[in-house]
Amino acid sequence: EAQVTQNPRYLITVTGKKLTVTCSQNMNHEYMSWYRQDPGLGLRQIYYSMNVEVTDKGDVPEGYKVSRKEKRNFPLILESPSPNQTSLYFCASRYTGLGTEAFFGQGTRLTVV
Amino acid sequence: AQSVTQLDSHVSVSEGTPVLLRCNYSSSYSPSLFWYVQHPNKGLQLLLKYTSAATLVKGINGFEAEFKKSETSFHLTKPSAHMSDAAEYFCVVSAMEYGNKLVFGAGTILRVKS
């Protein structure tokens, strides 16, 4: 089954404790991205990757890191989480090009206390 | 100007009545447009997409949307709401001026009353 898998689904952590949210896709998509969803703001792109070893900042990259060492995986790293990073996070993948639909993971609800 | 504007943050309808979720976009080029649905505690699922073919697009679960270039609109409709349609809906645009990025509207929460 074609899917994007993120883990964990829920995470509560303390300020400053490094964490990683994993994302994996099995559709051989070139393009992967991370979004955060906050009430009334829709989804905002954090980082994206157009292929292996190619990553770039989205609209709200501050406080986040990513890597793309393999085509299927695109982890999101918070080196020193802060309470303003409490949010719902989604990973997505798609083929590169206009008009291609994105496939989303189930989401990771992160709370930073 | 906003790239994608969803004109209503909340819409409430009675079961069995029509649904209209409004979306306006901004693009100088021929855009691709999408509607996604997000049920509580779920990821986003594609409802339908427009990519410069027929202007009336049919999607899953009885939804459809019409691309109107003159009005820069892509409103989502359904003739008869069902309780299971209660969810948040996102209008999304993909266009050359936004690079390879999908640009999301702020979302519309649909409530269906019994």
Side-chain angles (χ1 to χ4, degrees), chain B residues 14-71:
Chain B
S14 296
E15 192 174 20
T17 64
V19 175
L20 170 63
L21 305 183
R22 298 181 295 164
C23 173
N24 286 110
Y25 68 90
S26 171
S27 175
S28 304
Y29 301 92
S30 298
S32 294
L33 293 153
F34 309 81
W35 276 99
Y36 282 84
V37 61
Q38 183 184 24
H39 288 95
N41 299 313
K42 299 283 188 185
L44 279 77
Q45 179 186 18
L46 182 70
L47 271 181
L48 50 81
K49 69 177 183 180
Y50 165 78
T51 55
S52 77
T55 55
L56 182 61
V57 182
K58 294 189 185 299
I60 61 172
N61 301 335
F63 284 94
E64 60 182 41
E66 187 170 8
F67 173 71
K68 290 187 176 180
K69 187 173 182 178
S70 60
E71 298 176 11

